[in-house]
Amino acid sequence: MRMQTPSVQSLFQGIAREQKEDFNQLFYRYYDRLVAFAMQYVQAREPAEEIVSALFVSLWQKREKLDAIRSPEVYLFIAVKNGCLNYLRRLPGRFTTLPDDAFLHNRGVDIHGPEYKELVKVLNMAISKLPEQRRIIFRLIKEEGLKAKEVAEILSVSVRTVESQLYKAVKSLAAAVSHYLGYDPQQKKQQSGKDVFFFLFF
């Protein structure tokens, strides 16, 4: 019988009871995701890793308070965002999860082919050029799978702002790859060949 993956809430509760195995599970589940999120702010891996590592140290040091946190995933992202902003304030002069490979392969997409790799490259380049807030919102929803309400809480903006920025991001990215695909993907009715990846991504 397959064991059910523990929820983040239950991991927080376990850590509050000094269960080191729960702490390790939380670390391995979220470390890379939080580092990728932090890099959207600090634009470098080393400070991003330091910020996330400091968060996990803090979690263990203040573990007895974790039981009171009702939205632990949101809490993690907010804590990293605040850590990034504090890091940026200290600087002088300063203020791609993709669709599952097996899923794509089963739909006739050659994930090792040049067209797939080129489209990923084009998309990643277009994402990197989005305005900061828009880029972060897009990645949190499309790559991290968070809901608009959760993203709004993390970024301290309204749900409407999140939805508006996501719409603008998708519209901008669609325009960016339209030349590569040979048509405007937002107007396409049928999925075929190399464009199936784009539809799955958005």
mmCIF file of all heavy atoms in Angstrom, residues 157-197:
data_model
loop_
_atom_site.group_PDB
_atom_site.id
_atom_site.type_symbol
_atom_site.label_atom_id
_atom_site.label_comp_id
_atom_site.label_asym_id
_atom_site.label_seq_id
_atom_site.Cartn_x
_atom_site.Cartn_y
_atom_site.Cartn_z
ATOM 1 N N VAL A 157 -0.336 41.897 -2.599
ATOM 2 C CA VAL A 157 -1.113 42.607 -3.618
ATOM 3 C C VAL A 157 -2.509 42.001 -3.652
ATOM 4 O O VAL A 157 -2.780 40.996 -3.001
ATOM 5 C CB VAL A 157 -0.455 42.503 -5.016
ATOM 6 C CG1 VAL A 157 0.912 43.170 -5.020
ATOM 7 C CG2 VAL A 157 -0.341 41.039 -5.454
ATOM 8 N N SER A 158 -3.409 42.607 -4.422
ATOM 9 C CA SER A 158 -4.768 42.086 -4.515
ATOM 10 C C SER A 158 -4.828 40.901 -5.467
ATOM 11 O O SER A 158 -3.958 40.739 -6.342
ATOM 12 C CB SER A 158 -5.723 43.179 -5.008
ATOM 13 O OG SER A 158 -5.441 43.503 -6.360
ATOM 14 N N VAL A 159 -5.844 40.076 -5.314
ATOM 15 C CA VAL A 159 -6.051 38.945 -6.221
ATOM 16 C C VAL A 159 -6.253 39.460 -7.640
ATOM 17 O O VAL A 159 -5.778 38.864 -8.612
ATOM 18 C CB VAL A 159 -7.258 38.097 -5.780
ATOM 19 C CG1 VAL A 159 -7.575 37.025 -6.809
ATOM 20 C CG2 VAL A 159 -6.990 37.451 -4.424
ATOM 21 N N ARG A 160 -6.949 40.573 -7.765
ATOM 22 C CA ARG A 160 -7.183 41.148 -9.096
ATOM 23 C C ARG A 160 -5.872 41.531 -9.768
ATOM 24 O O ARG A 160 -5.708 41.334 -10.985
ATOM 25 C CB ARG A 160 -8.096 42.375 -8.980
ATOM 26 C CG ARG A 160 -8.355 43.073 -10.317
ATOM 27 C CD ARG A 160 -9.436 44.110 -10.213
ATOM 28 N NE ARG A 160 -10.741 43.508 -9.955
ATOM 29 C CZ ARG A 160 -11.872 44.195 -9.891
ATOM 30 N NH1 ARG A 160 -11.859 45.513 -10.072
ATOM 31 N NH2 ARG A 160 -13.010 43.579 -9.662
ATOM 32 N N THR A 161 -4.939 42.051 -8.984
ATOM 33 C CA THR A 161 -3.628 42.402 -9.534
ATOM 34 C C THR A 161 -2.908 41.155 -10.032
ATOM 35 O O THR A 161 -2.307 41.155 -11.109
ATOM 36 C CB THR A 161 -2.756 43.103 -8.471
ATOM 37 O OG1 THR A 161 -3.361 44.354 -8.142
ATOM 38 C CG2 THR A 161 -1.341 43.346 -8.986
ATOM 39 N N VAL A 162 -2.972 40.096 -9.246
ATOM 40 C CA VAL A 162 -2.341 38.829 -9.640
ATOM 41 C C VAL A 162 -2.933 38.328 -10.953
ATOM 42 O O VAL A 162 -2.211 37.965 -11.892
ATOM 43 C CB VAL A 162 -2.511 37.757 -8.548
ATOM 44 C CG1 VAL A 162 -2.054 36.390 -9.056
ATOM 45 C CG2 VAL A 162 -1.712 38.142 -7.306
ATOM 46 N N GLU A 163 -4.249 38.320 -11.038
ATOM 47 C CA GLU A 163 -4.920 37.821 -12.237
ATOM 48 C C GLU A 163 -4.603 38.688 -13.444
ATOM 49 O O GLU A 163 -4.389 38.183 -14.553
ATOM 50 C CB GLU A 163 -6.427 37.761 -12.002
ATOM 51 C CG GLU A 163 -6.824 36.709 -10.960
ATOM 52 C CD GLU A 163 -8.286 36.776 -10.564
ATOM 53 O OE1 GLU A 163 -8.913 37.837 -10.843
ATOM 54 O OE2 GLU A 163 -8.800 35.800 -9.988
ATOM 55 N N SER A 164 -4.559 39.997 -13.233
ATOM 56 C CA SER A 164 -4.248 40.919 -14.321
ATOM 57 C C SER A 164 -2.821 40.727 -14.816
ATOM 58 O O SER A 164 -2.558 40.686 -16.027
ATOM 59 C CB SER A 164 -4.452 42.364 -13.850
ATOM 60 O OG SER A 164 -4.007 43.288 -14.824
ATOM 61 N N GLN A 165 -1.881 40.600 -13.873
ATOM 62 C CA GLN A 165 -0.481 40.428 -14.249
ATOM 63 C C GLN A 165 -0.240 39.084 -14.929
ATOM 64 O O GLN A 165 0.569 38.975 -15.851
ATOM 65 C CB GLN A 165 0.410 40.561 -13.014
ATOM 66 C CG GLN A 165 0.498 41.975 -12.461
ATOM 67 C CD GLN A 165 1.082 42.944 -13.467
ATOM 68 O OE1 GLN A 165 2.131 42.716 -14.049
ATOM 69 N NE2 GLN A 165 0.374 44.052 -13.682
ATOM 70 N N LEU A 166 -0.949 38.051 -14.486
ATOM 71 C CA LEU A 166 -0.822 36.740 -15.122
ATOM 72 C C LEU A 166 -1.335 36.802 -16.558
ATOM 73 O O LEU A 166 -0.699 36.265 -17.481
ATOM 74 C CB LEU A 166 -1.604 35.686 -14.333
ATOM 75 C CG LEU A 166 -1.576 34.278 -14.934
ATOM 76 C CD1 LEU A 166 -0.154 33.725 -14.952
ATOM 77 C CD2 LEU A 166 -2.495 33.343 -14.142
ATOM 78 N N TYR A 167 -2.470 37.457 -16.754
ATOM 79 C CA TYR A 167 -3.035 37.603 -18.098
ATOM 80 C C TYR A 167 -2.054 38.330 -19.015
ATOM 81 O O TYR A 167 -1.808 37.913 -20.154
ATOM 82 C CB TYR A 167 -4.360 38.364 -18.032
ATOM 83 C CG TYR A 167 -4.899 38.763 -19.388
ATOM 84 C CD1 TYR A 167 -5.561 37.838 -20.200
ATOM 85 C CD2 TYR A 167 -4.721 40.061 -19.870
ATOM 86 C CE1 TYR A 167 -6.037 38.200 -21.456
ATOM 87 C CE2 TYR A 167 -5.192 40.427 -21.121
ATOM 88 C CZ TYR A 167 -5.847 39.496 -21.910
ATOM 89 O OH TYR A 167 -6.306 39.853 -23.155
ATOM 90 N N LYS A 168 -1.465 39.406 -18.504
ATOM 91 C CA LYS A 168 -0.508 40.180 -19.301
ATOM 92 C C LYS A 168 0.747 39.369 -19.604
ATOM 93 O O LYS A 168 1.328 39.481 -20.690
ATOM 94 C CB LYS A 168 -0.148 41.470 -18.576
ATOM 95 C CG LYS A 168 -1.293 42.480 -18.502
ATOM 96 C CD LYS A 168 -0.900 43.710 -17.702
ATOM 97 C CE LYS A 168 -2.059 44.702 -17.630
ATOM 98 N NZ LYS A 168 -1.736 45.901 -16.812
ATOM 99 N N ALA A 169 1.168 38.554 -18.636
ATOM 100 C CA ALA A 169 2.350 37.715 -18.845
ATOM 101 C C ALA A 169 2.109 36.709 -19.958
ATOM 102 O O ALA A 169 2.928 36.553 -20.869
ATOM 103 C CB ALA A 169 2.718 36.998 -17.553
ATOM 104 N N VAL A 170 0.976 36.013 -19.889
ATOM 105 C CA VAL A 170 0.653 35.003 -20.900
ATOM 106 C C VAL A 170 0.514 35.651 -22.280
ATOM 107 O O VAL A 170 1.003 35.117 -23.280
ATOM 108 C CB VAL A 170 -0.639 34.252 -20.525
ATOM 109 C CG1 VAL A 170 -1.091 33.351 -21.671
ATOM 110 C CG2 VAL A 170 -0.421 33.422 -19.263
ATOM 111 N N LYS A 171 -0.135 36.800 -22.329
ATOM 112 C CA LYS A 171 -0.307 37.514 -23.603
ATOM 113 C C LYS A 171 1.042 37.916 -24.179
ATOM 114 O O LYS A 171 1.299 37.762 -25.387
ATOM 115 C CB LYS A 171 -1.175 38.753 -23.383
ATOM 116 C CG LYS A 171 -1.535 39.494 -24.667
ATOM 117 C CD LYS A 171 -2.481 40.644 -24.379
ATOM 118 C CE LYS A 171 -2.858 41.374 -25.672
ATOM 119 N NZ LYS A 171 -3.783 42.500 -25.407
ATOM 120 N N SER A 172 1.935 38.397 -23.324
ATOM 121 C CA SER A 172 3.268 38.814 -23.758
ATOM 122 C C SER A 172 4.085 37.627 -24.255
ATOM 123 O O SER A 172 4.758 37.701 -25.289
ATOM 124 C CB SER A 172 3.999 39.501 -22.602
ATOM 125 O OG SER A 172 5.330 39.807 -22.956
ATOM 126 N N LEU A 173 4.012 36.519 -23.529
ATOM 127 C CA LEU A 173 4.775 35.332 -23.916
ATOM 128 C C LEU A 173 4.230 34.723 -25.204
ATOM 129 O O LEU A 173 4.989 34.214 -26.032
ATOM 130 C CB LEU A 173 4.757 34.305 -22.788
ATOM 131 C CG LEU A 173 5.450 34.761 -21.490
ATOM 132 C CD1 LEU A 173 5.261 33.719 -20.396
ATOM 133 C CD2 LEU A 173 6.927 35.027 -21.725
ATOM 134 N N ALA A 174 2.911 34.775 -25.366
ATOM 135 C CA ALA A 174 2.305 34.270 -26.601
ATOM 136 C C ALA A 174 2.821 35.050 -27.798
ATOM 137 O O ALA A 174 3.141 34.479 -28.845
ATOM 138 C CB ALA A 174 0.782 34.379 -26.512
ATOM 139 N N ALA A 175 2.909 36.357 -27.628
ATOM 140 C CA ALA A 175 3.421 37.196 -28.710
ATOM 141 C C ALA A 175 4.892 36.900 -28.983
ATOM 142 O O ALA A 175 5.338 36.890 -30.135
ATOM 143 C CB ALA A 175 3.246 38.669 -28.346
ATOM 144 N N ALA A 176 5.642 36.622 -27.919
ATOM 145 C CA ALA A 176 7.083 36.387 -28.057
ATOM 146 C C ALA A 176 7.381 35.123 -28.846
ATOM 147 O O ALA A 176 8.383 35.048 -29.557
ATOM 148 C CB ALA A 176 7.722 36.301 -26.674
ATOM 149 N N VAL A 177 6.528 34.098 -28.733
ATOM 150 C CA VAL A 177 6.800 32.837 -29.435
ATOM 151 C C VAL A 177 5.985 32.698 -30.718
ATOM 152 O O VAL A 177 6.121 31.697 -31.422
ATOM 153 C CB VAL A 177 6.510 31.622 -28.519
ATOM 154 C CG1 VAL A 177 7.390 31.669 -27.290
ATOM 155 C CG2 VAL A 177 5.040 31.543 -28.144
ATOM 156 N N SER A 178 5.156 33.677 -31.049
ATOM 157 C CA SER A 178 4.292 33.555 -32.220
ATOM 158 C C SER A 178 5.105 33.419 -33.508
ATOM 159 O O SER A 178 4.737 32.656 -34.411
ATOM 160 C CB SER A 178 3.342 34.753 -32.317
ATOM 161 O OG SER A 178 4.075 35.962 -32.450
ATOM 162 N N HIS A 179 6.229 34.134 -33.580
ATOM 163 C CA HIS A 179 7.056 34.057 -34.781
ATOM 164 C C HIS A 179 7.670 32.659 -34.909
ATOM 165 O O HIS A 179 7.704 32.077 -35.992
ATOM 166 C CB HIS A 179 8.165 35.107 -34.734
ATOM 167 C CG HIS A 179 9.116 35.016 -35.891
ATOM 168 N ND1 HIS A 179 8.759 35.389 -37.167
ATOM 169 C CD2 HIS A 179 10.402 34.571 -35.959
ATOM 170 C CE1 HIS A 179 9.789 35.190 -37.978
ATOM 171 N NE2 HIS A 179 10.793 34.690 -37.274
ATOM 172 N N TYR A 180 8.113 32.112 -33.773
ATOM 173 C CA TYR A 180 8.709 30.771 -33.805
ATOM 174 C C TYR A 180 7.684 29.722 -34.207
ATOM 175 O O TYR A 180 7.965 28.816 -34.992
ATOM 176 C CB TYR A 180 9.295 30.432 -32.436
ATOM 177 C CG TYR A 180 9.769 29.005 -32.330
ATOM 178 C CD1 TYR A 180 10.963 28.600 -32.919
ATOM 179 C CD2 TYR A 180 8.994 28.050 -31.667
ATOM 180 C CE1 TYR A 180 11.381 27.289 -32.850
ATOM 181 C CE2 TYR A 180 9.411 26.727 -31.595
ATOM 182 C CZ TYR A 180 10.609 26.352 -32.183
ATOM 183 O OH TYR A 180 11.014 25.036 -32.115
ATOM 184 N N LEU A 181 6.465 29.837 -33.678
ATOM 185 C CA LEU A 181 5.423 28.859 -33.970
ATOM 186 C C LEU A 181 4.797 29.065 -35.341
ATOM 187 O O LEU A 181 4.192 28.165 -35.895
ATOM 188 C CB LEU A 181 4.327 28.912 -32.894
ATOM 189 C CG LEU A 181 4.749 28.522 -31.479
ATOM 190 C CD1 LEU A 181 3.589 28.703 -30.525
ATOM 191 C CD2 LEU A 181 5.250 27.085 -31.431
ATOM 192 N N GLY A 182 4.907 30.284 -35.857
ATOM 193 C CA GLY A 182 4.343 30.562 -37.167
ATOM 194 C C GLY A 182 2.905 31.014 -37.137
ATOM 195 O O GLY A 182 2.259 31.113 -38.166
ATOM 196 N N TYR A 183 2.376 31.286 -35.939
ATOM 197 C CA TYR A 183 1.014 31.800 -35.782
ATOM 198 C C TYR A 183 0.876 32.322 -34.366
ATOM 199 O O TYR A 183 1.741 32.113 -33.525
ATOM 200 C CB TYR A 183 -0.041 30.718 -36.040
ATOM 201 C CG TYR A 183 0.027 29.577 -35.073
ATOM 202 C CD1 TYR A 183 -0.680 29.602 -33.862
ATOM 203 C CD2 TYR A 183 0.832 28.477 -35.321
ATOM 204 C CE1 TYR A 183 -0.578 28.561 -32.955
ATOM 205 C CE2 TYR A 183 0.941 27.432 -34.417
ATOM 206 C CZ TYR A 183 0.231 27.484 -33.248
ATOM 207 O OH TYR A 183 0.321 26.457 -32.341
ATOM 208 N N ASP A 184 -0.239 32.992 -34.123
ATOM 209 C CA ASP A 184 -0.522 33.463 -32.773
ATOM 210 C C ASP A 184 -1.178 32.323 -32.004
ATOM 211 O O ASP A 184 -2.311 31.944 -32.301
ATOM 212 C CB ASP A 184 -1.477 34.665 -32.822
ATOM 213 C CG ASP A 184 -1.748 35.237 -31.425
ATOM 214 O OD1 ASP A 184 -1.396 34.555 -30.429
ATOM 215 O OD2 ASP A 184 -2.308 36.337 -31.345
ATOM 216 N N PRO A 185 -0.486 31.726 -30.989
ATOM 217 C CA PRO A 185 -1.044 30.563 -30.287
ATOM 218 C C PRO A 185 -2.347 30.844 -29.565
ATOM 219 O O PRO A 185 -3.109 29.932 -29.296
ATOM 220 C CB PRO A 185 0.068 30.190 -29.297
ATOM 221 C CG PRO A 185 0.912 31.408 -29.167
ATOM 222 C CD PRO A 185 0.832 32.109 -30.480
ATOM 223 N N GLN A 186 -2.632 32.117 -29.260
ATOM 224 C CA GLN A 186 -3.886 32.421 -28.589
ATOM 225 C C GLN A 186 -5.072 32.335 -29.545
ATOM 226 O O GLN A 186 -6.220 32.275 -29.117
ATOM 227 C CB GLN A 186 -3.819 33.813 -27.959
ATOM 228 C CG GLN A 186 -2.859 33.882 -26.789
ATOM 229 C CD GLN A 186 -2.982 35.175 -26.034
ATOM 230 O OE1 GLN A 186 -3.225 36.236 -26.610
ATOM 231 N NE2 GLN A 186 -2.822 35.111 -24.729
ATOM 232 N N GLN A 187 -4.793 32.350 -30.844
ATOM 233 C CA GLN A 187 -5.861 32.271 -31.831
ATOM 234 C C GLN A 187 -6.007 30.870 -32.416
ATOM 235 O O GLN A 187 -6.956 30.574 -33.120
ATOM 236 C CB GLN A 187 -5.579 33.249 -32.983
ATOM 237 C CG GLN A 187 -5.473 34.712 -32.546
ATOM 238 C CD GLN A 187 -6.749 35.200 -31.900
ATOM 239 O OE1 GLN A 187 -7.838 34.888 -32.359
ATOM 240 N NE2 GLN A 187 -6.622 35.977 -30.832
ATOM 241 N N LYS A 188 -5.041 29.996 -32.122
ATOM 242 C CA LYS A 188 -5.047 28.647 -32.713
ATOM 243 C C LYS A 188 -6.160 27.802 -32.119
ATOM 244 O O LYS A 188 -6.358 27.765 -30.922
ATOM 245 C CB LYS A 188 -3.698 27.983 -32.446
ATOM 246 C CG LYS A 188 -3.528 26.619 -33.103
ATOM 247 C CD LYS A 188 -3.383 26.716 -34.601
ATOM 248 C CE LYS A 188 -3.038 25.357 -35.204
ATOM 249 N NZ LYS A 188 -2.924 25.387 -36.641
ATOM 250 N N LYS A 189 -6.849 27.051 -32.976
ATOM 251 C CA LYS A 189 -7.950 26.209 -32.527
ATOM 252 C C LYS A 189 -7.494 24.781 -32.270
ATOM 253 O O LYS A 189 -7.998 24.114 -31.386
ATOM 254 C CB LYS A 189 -9.072 26.209 -33.574
ATOM 255 C CG LYS A 189 -9.654 27.583 -33.858
ATOM 256 C CD LYS A 189 -10.284 28.194 -32.610
ATOM 257 C CE LYS A 189 -10.909 29.542 -32.935
ATOM 258 N NZ LYS A 189 -11.480 30.197 -31.734
ATOM 259 N N GLN A 190 -6.566 24.278 -33.079
ATOM 260 C CA GLN A 190 -6.143 22.902 -32.977
ATOM 261 C C GLN A 190 -4.714 22.812 -32.453
ATOM 262 O O GLN A 190 -3.874 23.618 -32.816
ATOM 263 C CB GLN A 190 -6.213 22.210 -34.354
ATOM 264 C CG GLN A 190 -7.599 22.221 -34.971
ATOM 265 C CD GLN A 190 -8.563 21.356 -34.196
ATOM 266 O OE1 GLN A 190 -8.197 20.344 -33.619
ATOM 267 N NE2 GLN A 190 -9.831 21.757 -34.170
ATOM 268 N N GLN A 191 -4.425 21.794 -31.632
ATOM 269 C CA GLN A 191 -3.081 21.535 -31.174
ATOM 270 C C GLN A 191 -2.433 20.524 -32.104
ATOM 271 O O GLN A 191 -3.046 19.537 -32.478
ATOM 272 C CB GLN A 191 -3.086 20.969 -29.755
ATOM 273 C CG GLN A 191 -3.650 21.915 -28.725
ATOM 274 C CD GLN A 191 -3.630 21.273 -27.357
ATOM 275 O OE1 GLN A 191 -2.951 20.314 -27.115
ATOM 276 N NE2 GLN A 191 -4.404 21.821 -26.452
ATOM 277 N N SER A 192 -1.182 20.773 -32.494
ATOM 278 C CA SER A 192 -0.500 19.823 -33.351
ATOM 279 C C SER A 192 0.999 20.005 -33.236
ATOM 280 O O SER A 192 1.496 21.096 -32.947
ATOM 281 C CB SER A 192 -0.914 20.037 -34.814
ATOM 282 O OG SER A 192 -0.568 21.338 -35.246
ATOM 283 N N GLY A 193 1.729 18.902 -33.458
ATOM 284 C CA GLY A 193 3.175 18.937 -33.549
ATOM 285 C C GLY A 193 3.866 19.709 -32.453
ATOM 286 O O GLY A 193 3.606 19.527 -31.262
ATOM 287 N N LYS A 194 4.736 20.644 -32.874
ATOM 288 C CA LYS A 194 5.617 21.335 -31.938
ATOM 289 C C LYS A 194 4.879 22.296 -31.023
ATOM 290 O O LYS A 194 5.408 22.684 -29.984
ATOM 291 C CB LYS A 194 6.691 22.098 -32.714
ATOM 292 C CG LYS A 194 6.155 23.241 -33.573
ATOM 293 C CD LYS A 194 7.280 23.866 -34.388
ATOM 294 C CE LYS A 194 6.775 25.002 -35.266
ATOM 295 N NZ LYS A 194 7.836 25.587 -36.089
ATOM 296 N N ASP A 195 3.635 22.721 -31.382
ATOM 297 C CA ASP A 195 2.964 23.718 -30.554
ATOM 298 C C ASP A 195 2.271 23.123 -29.334
ATOM 299 O O ASP A 195 1.827 23.860 -28.463
ATOM 300 C CB ASP A 195 1.926 24.493 -31.374
ATOM 301 C CG ASP A 195 0.829 23.591 -31.908
ATOM 302 O OD1 ASP A 195 -0.133 23.329 -31.184
ATOM 303 O OD2 ASP A 195 0.981 23.157 -33.055
ATOM 304 N N VAL A 196 2.181 21.766 -29.223
ATOM 305 C CA VAL A 196 1.479 21.180 -28.089
ATOM 306 C C VAL A 196 2.146 21.558 -26.778
ATOM 307 O O VAL A 196 1.488 21.767 -25.765
ATOM 308 C CB VAL A 196 1.386 19.645 -28.227
ATOM 309 C CG1 VAL A 196 2.740 18.981 -28.089
ATOM 310 C CG2 VAL A 196 0.421 19.079 -27.177
ATOM 311 N N PHE A 197 3.460 21.694 -26.792
ATOM 312 C CA PHE A 197 4.173 22.091 -25.577
ATOM 313 C C PHE A 197 3.703 23.460 -25.100
ATOM 314 O O PHE A 197 3.484 23.672 -23.919
ATOM 315 C CB PHE A 197 5.680 22.120 -25.829
ATOM 316 C CG PHE A 197 6.447 22.780 -24.728
ATOM 317 C CD1 PHE A 197 6.692 22.109 -23.541
ATOM 318 C CD2 PHE A 197 6.908 24.077 -24.851
ATOM 319 C CE1 PHE A 197 7.377 22.717 -22.515
ATOM 320 C CE2 PHE A 197 7.590 24.689 -23.836
ATOM 321 C CZ PHE A 197 7.830 24.008 -22.676
#
